[in-house]
Amino acid sequence: MEEDINVTSHTEGLNGLSHDHIPLEITNGCSNHKLVMNGVVKGCNGGLTNGNAPLGSLPISALRQNGLLQALTEGGDQSSLTEERENVELQKAREEWDALENILPAITEDSTPTPLISFNEALQYFQTTDLGDLLKNIQPTIRRTGLAAITHFLFGPPRLHKDLLEERDLVFAIAQCPVDNSQPVHMRVLQTIYKRLIGSRLDCPRFGPHWENIGFQGTDPATDLRGTGFLGLMHTLYFVMDPETLPLAKDIFRLSQHPTQNFPFSVMSINMTRIALQVLREEALTKECNRRQQVVGVLNEFYVATYLYVYQLWKTQQKTIADSGFVLREVELFAKKNPKQILRRLECFLKEKRAGELPRGTSPDPQGRQPSPSLGARSGSKAKEMHFTGVCDLQADVEGEARLI
């Protein structure tokens, strides 16, 4: 006969926990003494229960709450727990990366670049902009006095037609205009020049050493425009955007990257603009402007023709950066005395290019195959130590003569 014996027992808590005395009931050799482990009751048969439900039916979250997940996995589930933690950390890392991409999107080939600008569009901007303040400071002609003024009046070139004076003054006003970082047209001109020479589709930063790659002398192209203002960029824009002159521009750009005959392409271009402006100011282009009834077009072609002259001379006579100042002085004097011949050389060069022939005149003058005594003596081992000397760096001559400012 079975007896039910009630025994009062004191149970010690697990994990340092203490519990109150509870009645101990023994039935069929099994007591009703319930061991409590972190809120989970252990039965007499060794099974773990949570109140009425066995632990096998509990969710993982409940096990975590009861602090038993670690105890269950210590025997043989350590690898599963480690894998679970790694997965959680990986997921968090992915979420953080996605959030970073949303905040700082990367620049890719799909980024929308600034559209290229044509020379005519840029010129139209200046034609419709108020340049009154700049026009007050222009000097469209050389100021001559005394005998030089009388000689020029009697034997000099004809006067520019009245209907071309406004166009001529616009050219000199643009030459007084600085680069404006807040003006979209100015920025598009810079971006267009860079993209056409480098062959890039994406925009480049406004400042940086990348400008030296196309022949500027520093991180800001605006600092090289002394003496020519924005007209220096306008001429380069014309050079690289006209489909007929672009191949020549690329040929000159390649020569500027030569290991020994290199020179700063953009700075040299600015000096070509400076020479063209001086020739226009001395009225040596007046006859051609009157004949064609335009100023901008004639000046653009004269700029390209002068650069072609320098290119041929530099290439055939093996000039280096040490010769730059002397080459430019000689080129300016020749251009002022022979503007018609300079333009004619360009016309023949482009005509032969269109015909698919190798342009004649591998040198710009009959004596081009022989080094110029004044220039050849300057070539030598010291070339690498020399800096580019442009027209803007040379001293001015006396009034009434060719000015190298």
Side-chain angles (χ1 to χ4, degrees):
M1 180 176 180
E2 298 179 351
E3 293 182 355
D4 292 337
I5 303 174
N6 293 327
V7 180
T8 301
S9 175
H10 175 77
T11 58
E12 293 182 358
L14 300 178
N15 298 330
L17 299 177
S18 63
H19 301 279
D20 295 336
H21 290 81
I22 60 174
L24 179 62
E25 181 180 353
I26 301 176
T27 304
N28 295 329
C30 183
S31 73
N32 65 350
H33 181 108
K34 297 180 173 59
L35 296 179
V36 180
M37 182 186 294
N38 293 340
V40 180
V41 181
K42 182 175 181 180
C44 65
N45 58 357
L48 296 176
T49 63
N50 186 10
N52 297 323
L55 287 178
S57 63
L58 292 178
I60 294 297
S61 59
L63 293 177
R64 285 176 177 168
Q65 292 173 0
N66 288 300
L68 294 178
L69 181 59
Q70 182 176 358
L72 290 173
T73 57
E74 284 179 352
D77 272 343
Q78 283 288 355
S79 60
S80 299
L81 179 59
T82 302
E83 183 178 355
E84 181 181 355
R85 287 176 178 174
E86 291 178 351
N87 291 337
V88 172
E89 293 176 358
L90 179 60
Q91 181 62 28
K92 288 182 179 179
R94 288 175 177 172
E95 292 175 356
E96 291 175 358
W97 180 255
D98 292 339
L100 180 62
E101 286 186 333
N102 291 333
I103 297 173
L104 297 173
I107 298 177
T108 64
E109 289 292 333
D110 296 330
S111 300
T112 304
T114 301
L116 300 180
I117 186 171
S118 66
F119 176 85
N120 288 336
E121 183 180 353
L123 179 63
Q124 186 177 14
Y125 159 78
F126 285 104
Q127 290 174 331
T128 57
T129 299
D130 183 11
L131 303 177
D133 293 339
L134 298 177
L135 289 170
K136 297 176 183 178
N137 301 321
I138 67 173
Q139 184 184 343
T141 58
I142 291 294
R143 296 173 183 173
R144 297 178 174 87
T145 58
L147 183 59
I150 296 175
T151 302
H152 181 76
F153 177 79
L154 295 176
F155 306 104
R159 292 180 177 273
L160 188 68
H161 291 171
K162 292 183 178 181
D163 53 352
L164 297 178
L165 294 178
E166 183 177 353
E167 185 178 351
R168 179 202 63 186
D169 292 349
L170 174 64
V171 167
F172 285 100
I174 298 174
Q176 295 284 332
C177 182
V179 175
D180 185 354
N181 294 333
S182 64
Q183 176 48 245
V185 170
H186 288 206
M187 297 301 100
R188 287 178 62 194
V189 169
L190 278 172
Q191 293 289 345
T192 300
I193 292 172
Y194 182 85
K195 293 175 185 177
R196 296 287 275 186
L197 288 175
I198 296 296
S200 173
R201 191 178 68 87
L202 299 179
D203 291 348
C204 65
R206 170 64 181 85
F207 304 97
H210 52 275
W211 292 111
E212 298 176 10
N213 296 335
I214 62 171
F216 287 102
Q217 295 186 117
T219 59
D220 181 7
T223 60
D224 290 331
L225 297 176
R226 59 186 183 277
T228 66
F230 205 84
L231 187 66
L233 296 179
M234 289 289 287
H235 276 165
T236 310
L237 178 68
Y238 172 81
F239 203 9
V240 300
M241 287 302 289
D242 189 291
E244 197 166 39
T245 60
L246 177 60
L248 174 60
K250 290 184 175 181
D251 287 343
I252 298 176
F253 182 65
R254 277 192 290 269
L255 178 62
S256 74
Q257 308 293 312
H258 192 275
T260 58
Q261 290 189 266
N262 60 83
F263 57 87
F265 174 89
S266 294
V267 175
M268 181 72 83
S269 174
I270 292 169
N271 278 277
M272 298 303 99
T273 298
R274 183 65 184 84
I275 292 174
L277 273 175
Q278 193 63 23
V279 174
L280 179 63
R281 183 178 282 115
E282 295 190 9
E283 302 173 84
L285 292 176
T286 298
K287 186 175 182 180
E288 185 66 16
C289 290
N290 289 340
R291 185 182 71 84
R292 296 171 53 177
Q293 283 298 296
Q294 58 176 306
V295 176
V296 173
V298 172
L299 192 66
N300 285 346
E301 290 187 14
F302 189 81
Y303 152 82
V304 175
T306 306
Y307 214 161
L308 171 63
Y309 183 92
V310 171
Y311 166 66
Q312 293 174 328
L313 186 152
W314 198 279
K315 186 175 183 179
T316 58
Q317 296 189 14
Q318 302 294 312
K319 299 305 175 186
T320 68
I321 201 70
D323 305 314
S324 57
F326 306 95
V327 169
L328 289 172
R329 188 189 298 274
E330 183 175 285
V331 167
E332 181 173 16
L333 292 175
F334 181 83
K336 289 177 179 179
K337 294 179 180 179
N338 306 279
K340 186 175 181 179
Q341 184 178 349
I342 288 283
L343 290 170
R344 177 63 180 169
R345 288 179 182 278
L346 175 64
E347 181 182 351
C348 293
F349 179 88
L350 296 178
K351 182 178 180 181
E352 291 170 356
K353 278 283 189 180
R354 287 192 294 266
E357 303 174 2
L358 180 65
R360 293 175 298 173
T362 53
S363 60
D365 52 59
Q367 291 78 28
R369 295 183 180 275
Q370 301 177 358
S372 172
S374 61
L375 301 180
R378 295 286 177 174
S379 301
S381 60
K382 295 184 179 180
K384 294 183 179 180
E385 302 175 2
M386 301 293 291
H387 297 288
F388 180 83
T389 304
V391 171
C392 301
D393 301 317
L394 301 178
Q395 297 296 322
D397 292 338
V398 296
E399 183 176 1
E401 301 297 331
R403 292 179 178 232
L404 304 178
I405 301 175

